Amino acid sequence: MVNDSQGVQMLFSSRLRRQFFRLAIFLLFLLASWATCSTQTAETPRIDPLLRQIFLDNDFRAQFPPHIEWLPDGNSYTVLENSPANPKAKDIVRYQAGTGARDVLVNSAQITAPSAKEPLAIDDYAFSPDLNRVLIFTNAQRVWRAATRGDYWLLDRRSGKLLKLGGNAGPAELMFAKFSPDGQKVAYVRANNVYVEQPETGEIMQLTTDGSATIINGTTDWVYEEEFFLRDAFLWSPDSKKIAFWQFDISGVLDFTLIYDTGGPHHIVTGIPYPQFGVYPTTQEIPYPQPGTTNSAVRIGVVNATGGAPFWMQVPGDPRNNYIPRAEWTEDSRQLAIQHVNRLQNENTVLLADAQTGQVHPVFTDTDKAWVDVNYEFQWIKVDRGSEFLWTSERDGWRHAYAIATDGRQRLLTPGNYDIIRVEGVDSNSQWLYFTASPKNATQQYLYRVPITGNAQPQEISPANQAGTHTYEISPNGLWAVHTYSTFDTPPVTDLVSLPAHRSIRVLQDNATLRAKLTDLLGNRSEFFQVDIGGGVTLDGWMIKPKDFDPAKKYPLLINIYGEPAAQTVVDRWPGAGGLFHRALASEGYLVASFDNRGTPAPKGREWRKIVYGSVGVLSSKDQAEALMAVERSRPYIDANRVAIWGWSGGGSNTLNMMFRSPELYKVGMAVAPVADQRLYDTIYQERYMGLPQDNPEGYRAGSAINFADGLRGDLLIVHGSGDDNVHFQGTELLVNRLIELGKQFDFMDYPGRTHSISEGKGTTFHVYSLLARYLEEHLPVSGAASAQAGN
C-alpha cells in the first residue's frame, strides 16, 4: 500500500505520461503526414498536368491528312475518309490532283459482308491496275514486329461481289495479298507457303508445299523484317506468269525466349481481363541470331503462277553467311536482278539471274572498307541505249546516284561534294531524278532534281524561303507531290504541290489549331548551333532555353542523346511529343540540348558516317564528352556541376556510356531500353557496324557499356520493358547483376510485358515520361539554380 502523497505523485506521473504519449502520437502523425506529402510531391512531377496533355489527352498531337495512295496515272490519288452513311466506317475516295474533283470509288456499304452488321474495318487496301477490283486488308495481327497477317477481301466494283480470299483459311491466316500486274489473279502467303487465287473461278493454287515452323516461303525471318523491311518476300513478274519468292531456313537459328510473368502481352495490349484463377507465366520463342551466331539460310526461287517445281537461283556462297536484301524483275520477265550482300556487309553485288535456269552472273559490285548500304532506291530506268538501273553509292566519299548498265557502264548523275539523303522518285518518262539533300546544312532537307541524261547541276525545287525540313510523296509521273514542311519550332504543314514549279495547289493540313495551342509552350527559346570539339571536327547541336532565360544566371542542363548510326537527333523538323517533353522541362527551368556525334547518319560525307566502324560506343562517348565541355566553356550560364543525360535504345546505351566513362561530367542519367552489351543484339545491325565478334573481340568489349560500369558515380535510372523483342531485357538484367556485384547503387523500372517502344497498355507512355521527369526533378532540381550568379 502507498500513502496519499505517493498516490498523488503517481497520479501526476501517470497523467504526464499520458499527455506525453498523446503529444508523441500527435508529433508522429505530423511527421507521417509531412512524409506522405513529401512522397506525394516526389512522385508527381511539377509538369505532370502538362505531360498528361501531351501523352494522355493528345492535346498537342500534330494532324496529318489521310495517307495518300497515288494511282498509276499519276494525276489522281485515293484516301480513306469517314463514311457519311456510317461514322464507324471508311470510304475509299479518289481526288484529281489538279482540280480537286472528288468521287467515291468504294463506299462502306459495298464492303459489308452479307451476314455482317458492320462494314469491314480497312487496315490497308490496293487496287488492280484497271481499278475494277480492290483488295481490303482487315483484322491485322502482329507477326514479328509488324501487323502483317490478317484477312483479305476482294471487291469487284463492276459486279459488286465481295469475296473473302483464302478458301477454307481460318481468321487472320493470310499475308501480303497482291494483284498480278494484269489484275486477274491474287498471290498471298498462308502458313509460310505461297498461293495464287483466281477470283473469277475461285481456284486456288498452292505454289510451295514445304512451308513449316522452320521453312518460310514468301515472307521473312526476324532479320529481314527488322533491317531490310521486306514487307512481302515475293514478286510477280511483269507478264503475270511467274512469281519470285524468298525462302528462309531458320532451323539453325537459336531461339530467344521471351518470358511474360504476367500471363502474356495480349492482356496489356487488348485489355483482356486475367482469368479468375491460375495466372501463370507464358513464354514465346523467337528465332533471333545474336552477333557471330548462325543466320537463316536464304535463297530465291521462281515458280510458275500455274504451279510446278521452283527454279532456284544459283546465288554463290554460303546461304547462311550472305544476305539477299532486294531483287527486281527485268521488264521482259526473263531475269531477276538480285542484290547479294556478304555477311560482313562490306560488299554488295548485283547479280542477273536467268529465271528459267537459275544461272547468275555479276554485273556490278559496290564495296567499302566499312559497310555498304542496301540500295532501297534500286529501280530500272529507260534511256536511249536501253535499260539501266539506279544505284546509290559512297564510293567517291559522298552518297551519290549512278545509272548503271547491265554491261557495267556507269554514269554519275549527282556530281558534287554533297550527299543525297534519299531518292524520292523518277518520273514515268525517265527524264528527271528527284532526290532530297542539304549541301549547306546537315540538319535540314530539301528537294532537288537532275536530268537522267546527266551532265547538269541539280536544280533546287523546295522554296528558298522555307528553311527547315521538306518531305515528299511524288506521283508516278513526277508532276505532283504531297509536300510536308516543318521546323524544330513549327508544326508541319502539308499541301499538294505541282512540280517542278513547287506551286501549292491546296493545303491538306495546316495544323493552325495546334500552333495556337502551343503559343505558350513554344515560347521557350530554341537555338541550332555548331560545337567545335577540336581536330577540325564540329558537331551540330540544339538547345532549348527557359522562357525567362537570363544569361547572367546558371541553369542545370539535360542532354538528349542517341549517337548511333541509325538516326540523328539534331534535325530541324517538328519533333512531336518527345520534343514537347523537352519543351515542358525547359518551361520548368532546365536547359535541354542534344548533339550529333560522328557516326550518326548526317549528310556530311562517307568519312563522317563510317569513321565509327568497329568502335560503336567508343567514338560517340569521346565526341559527346568533348561537346559538353566545349559548350560549358562557351556558355557560362550552364551549371557544369548539374548535368543530366537521357536516351532511348541506342541513346540508352550511350547514356550508360557517358555515366560510366565520364562520371565527372554527368551527375544524372536515365537509360531507356539500352543495349548494355553489343554481343547480345542482332546480327544484321551489330555486325554491319562492328564486324563479327570473333574478328573484333576488343571492339565489342570496348564499345559495350557494361564493361565500364565500375565508373558509375552519379544517379542512374534504368528503364526496360520485360517483353522487349528487339533489345532484349537480358542485357539489362546482366547490367543489373554487374552493378550489384560492384556495389553500385542505381534505380530501376521494369514495365512488364512491354516491347521496345514501352507503349502498350493504357497510360504506359505517359507513365514513362512522368517517371523520367520525376527522376530528373528529384535528383537534379531546378530550385535555386537560376539565382546563382554565373561568375560564382
Side-chain angles (χ1 to χ4, degrees):
M1 178 175 285
V2 293
N3 61 31
D4 289 345
S5 62
Q6 288 175 323
V8 172
Q9 289 176 351
M10 291 179 65
L11 180 61
F12 178 79
S13 299
S14 176
R15 290 175 177 171
L16 185 61
R17 283 195 301 269
R18 286 197 297 270
Q19 291 174 356
F20 179 83
F21 180 75
R22 290 170 181 165
L23 178 61
I25 292 295
F26 178 71
L27 290 174
L28 285 173
F29 173 78
L30 288 178
L31 182 62
S33 300
W34 174 82
T36 301
C37 293
S38 298
T39 302
Q40 290 173 345
T41 302
E43 290 178 353
T44 305
R46 291 188 301 269
I47 59 171
D48 209 56
L50 184 53
L51 297 183
R52 287 181 176 275
Q53 285 185 279
I54 296 171
F55 295 107
L56 276 182
D57 303 332
N58 297 313
D59 286 350
F60 305 122
R61 176 178 290 177
Q63 299 299 312
F64 293 91
H67 176 68
I68 282 175
E69 293 283 349
W70 285 105
L71 294 174
D73 65 3
N75 291 314
S76 58
Y77 58 86
T78 60
V79 298
L80 289 175
E81 292 184 354
N82 292 329
S83 173
N86 187 336
K88 297 180 180 179
K90 298 285 186 180
D91 295 337
I92 303 177
V93 179
R94 175 173 57 186
Y95 284 89
Q96 297 299 319
T99 64
R102 176 187 183 276
D103 65 314
V104 178
L105 294 184
V106 177
N107 64 54
S108 61
Q110 293 174 284
I111 55 172
T112 302
S115 60
K117 295 181 180 179
E118 293 291 340
L120 297 172
I122 304 176
D123 293 314
D124 201 358
Y125 66 93
F127 282 93
S128 59
D130 61 6
L131 305 186
N132 287 327
R133 293 170 172 168
V134 60
L135 280 171
I136 305 295
F137 180 48
T138 187
N139 191 26
Q141 307 292 316
R142 183 179 171 194
V143 178
W144 296 106
R145 299 181 68 193
T148 53
R149 188 179 67 245
D151 299 322
Y152 282 91
W153 294 72
L154 187 144
L155 171 69
D156 189 311
R157 296 179 58 234
R158 294 165 297 187
S159 67
K161 181 180 179 181
L162 182 65
L163 169 70
K164 185 179 181 183
L165 299 181
N168 63 356
E173 282 193 14
L174 304 192
M175 302 176 70
F176 310 126
K178 53 185 173 181
F179 286 109
S180 56
D182 63 10
Q184 300 303 306
K185 298 177 286 293
V186 177
Y188 51 77
V189 174
R190 176 186 174 190
N192 289 340
N193 280 310
V194 181
Y195 292 75
V196 167
E197 186 164 343
Q198 187 90 31
E200 292 287 351
T201 64
E203 179 185 7
I204 299 176
M205 177 67 67
Q206 183 173 347
L207 302 186
T208 66
T209 59
D210 57 351
S212 67
T214 56
I215 299 296
I216 302 174
N217 296 300
T219 181
T220 68
D221 68 350
W222 166 271
V223 164
Y224 276 65
E225 192 201 61
E226 167 72 359
E227 289 295 331
F228 291 147
F229 308 108
L230 287 178
R231 277 182 47 84
D232 45 42
F234 67 89
L235 304 166
W236 277 104
S237 61
D239 62 8
S240 300
K241 295 180 179 180
K242 296 181 285 292
I243 288 177
F245 67 96
W246 276 254
Q247 183 187 82
F248 297 83
D249 178 356
I250 65 174
S251 58
V253 180
L254 296 176
D255 286 339
F256 194 96
T257 303
L258 294 175
I259 303 172
Y260 299 98
D261 289 317
T262 55
H266 58 284
H267 293 289
I268 300 169
V269 177
T270 64
I272 296 174
Y274 292 98
Q276 186 175 359
F277 303 105
V279 178
Y280 289 88
T282 61
T283 62
Q284 181 182 6
E285 303 287 340
I286 296 180
Y288 182 103
Q290 293 180 341
T293 67
T294 302
N295 270 339
S296 298
V298 186
R299 58 179 179 169
I300 284 188
V302 174
V303 62
N304 289 326
T306 54
F311 291 94
W312 295 105
M313 303 301 100
Q314 298 170 18
V315 175
D318 180 355
R320 292 192 185 275
N321 286 308
N322 290 276
Y323 299 104
I324 304 176
R326 283 289 184 272
E328 293 289 340
W329 283 98
T330 55
E331 189 177 18
D332 59 10
S333 299
R334 294 180 179 179
Q335 295 178 304
L336 278 173
I338 299 171
Q339 291 187 46
H340 185 232
V341 179
N342 63 337
R343 176 73 179 254
L344 288 176
Q345 301 177 66
N346 57 14
E347 184 176 287
N348 190 352
T349 299
V350 178
L351 304 171
L352 275 184
D354 188 299
Q356 292 296 328
T357 67
Q359 293 182 343
V360 304
H361 68 277
V363 296
F364 172 75
T365 299
D366 202 6
T367 62
D368 195 289
K369 292 180 180 179
W371 70 86
V372 291
D373 292 317
V374 173
N375 264 256
Y376 302 111
E377 296 90 351
F378 184 102
Q379 60 181 290
W380 295 103
I381 52 180
K382 297 178 181 179
V383 292
D384 293 340
R385 50 181 174 272
S387 293
E388 298 175 334
F389 58 85
L390 187 66
W391 191 263
T392 56
S393 174
E394 297 175 328
R395 57 194 340 179
D396 69 351
W398 300 93
R399 186 188 294 122
H400 282 309
Y402 295 81
I404 300 177
T406 55
D407 62 6
R409 289 178 297 167
Q410 305 171 27
R411 296 186 297 112
L412 175 61
L413 301 180
T414 57
N417 294 336
Y418 67 92
D419 284 315
I420 285 180
I421 296 174
R422 184 172 48 257
V423 170
E424 299 293 344
V426 177
D427 67 33
S428 54
N429 296 317
S430 294
Q431 298 298 310
W432 295 95
L433 168 71
Y434 285 90
F435 62 92
T436 46
S438 188
K440 298 178 182 178
N441 188 328
T443 72
Q444 299 175 342
Q445 182 174 296
Y446 305 92
L447 184 67
Y448 293 80
R449 73 170 186 168
V450 292
I452 291 293
T453 55
N455 301 317
Q457 291 299 309
Q459 302 175 10
E460 185 171 355
I461 303 300
S462 299
N465 63 347
Q466 290 184 348
T469 296
H470 300 258
T471 61
Y472 297 84
E473 297 175 56
I474 297 178
S475 64
N477 60 12
L479 298 179
W480 313 94
V482 176
H483 161 241
T484 300
Y485 167 69
S486 72
T487 73
F488 194 72
D489 296 328
T490 309
V493 174
T494 301
D495 61 347
L496 180 75
V497 299
S498 63
L499 298 178
H502 209 284
R503 181 169 61 90
S504 182
I505 304 302
R506 58 185 169 273
V507 175
L508 304 178
Q509 179 57 254
D510 63 5
N511 278 302
T513 301
L514 175 61
R515 284 199 299 276
K517 287 182 179 179
L518 288 171
T519 300
D520 184 63
L521 197 53
L522 291 179
N524 296 330
R525 297 162 53 183
S526 68
E527 165 193 9
F528 276 68
F529 55 90
Q530 291 192 322
V531 184
D532 186 345
I533 64 171
V537 178
T538 58
L539 309 185
D540 291 316
W542 56 252
M543 181 178 287
I544 305 172
K545 299 172 183 174
K547 283 180 291 187
D548 58 352
F549 173 74
D550 182 349
K553 299 176 180 178
K554 279 189 175 290
Y555 296 85
L557 170 65
L558 172 66
I559 294 173
N560 176 230
I561 188 172
Y562 182 74
E564 290 211 352
Q568 296 170 253
T569 57
V570 186
V571 284
D572 191 8
R573 66 167 177 252
W574 183 244
L580 295 180
F581 172 65
H582 293 142
R583 297 273 183 180
L585 291 173
S587 70
E588 290 299 305
Y590 291 96
L591 298 168
V592 187
S594 189
F595 312 111
D596 269 341
N597 51 263
R598 287 174 291 175
T600 52
K604 293 185 172 185
R606 176 207 172 275
E607 185 65 19
W608 171 273
R609 292 183 289 274
K610 296 185 176 178
I611 191 175
V612 73
Y613 182 71
S615 62
V616 170
V618 178
L619 185 63
S620 59
S621 299
K622 177 179 179 297
D623 280 4
Q624 290 284 335
E626 293 288 348
L628 174 58
M629 291 187 289
V631 297
E632 287 175 348
R633 289 191 297 267
S634 62
R635 298 169 184 244
Y637 49 80
I638 296 175
D639 187 344
N641 293 316
R642 293 191 302 148
V643 177
I645 188 167
W646 93 278
W648 201 304
S649 191
S653 309
N654 275 313
T655 295
L656 296 176
N657 276 322
M658 306 319 298
M659 293 296 293
F660 298 165
R661 298 171 193 257
S662 300
E664 73 283 2
L665 299 179
Y666 304 89
K667 303 304 183 289
V668 176
M670 302 178 293
V672 183
V675 178
D677 190 331
Q678 295 180 15
R679 297 173 303 167
L680 306 179
Y681 198 46
D682 63 31
T683 54
I684 185 68
Y685 181 92
Q686 212 63 55
E687 291 177 3
R688 178 185 304 134
Y689 307 121
M690 292 294 293
L692 296 172
Q694 296 92 323
D695 300 333
N696 185 24
E698 175 55 25
Y700 275 79
R701 187 204 67 80
S704 297
I706 193 171
N707 297 315
F708 301 87
D710 59 346
L712 177 63
R713 289 182 358 213
D715 296 303
L716 174 63
L717 170 65
I718 304 171
V719 179
H720 216 127
S722 65
D724 194 331
D725 55 358
N726 180 9
V727 178
H728 295 136
F729 194 55
Q730 173 194 44
T732 287
E733 288 185 305
L734 289 173
L735 175 61
V736 165
N737 275 345
R738 178 60 177 154
L739 291 168
I740 293 171
E741 175 186 316
L742 293 168
K744 300 290 185 178
Q745 296 297 322
F746 61 96
D747 295 283
F748 176 63
M749 181 65 181
D750 164 26
Y751 283 90
R754 271 70 166 188
T755 66
H756 194 53
S757 65
I758 317 183
S759 60
E760 297 81 7
K762 182 179 179 180
T764 298
T765 300
F766 162 72
H767 194 280
V768 172
Y769 283 94
S770 180
L771 168 67
L772 298 176
R774 174 173 63 82
Y775 196 82
L776 182 66
E777 289 181 356
E778 284 182 358
H779 295 278
L780 203 75
V782 170
S783 57
S787 62
Q789 293 301 311
N792 292 344

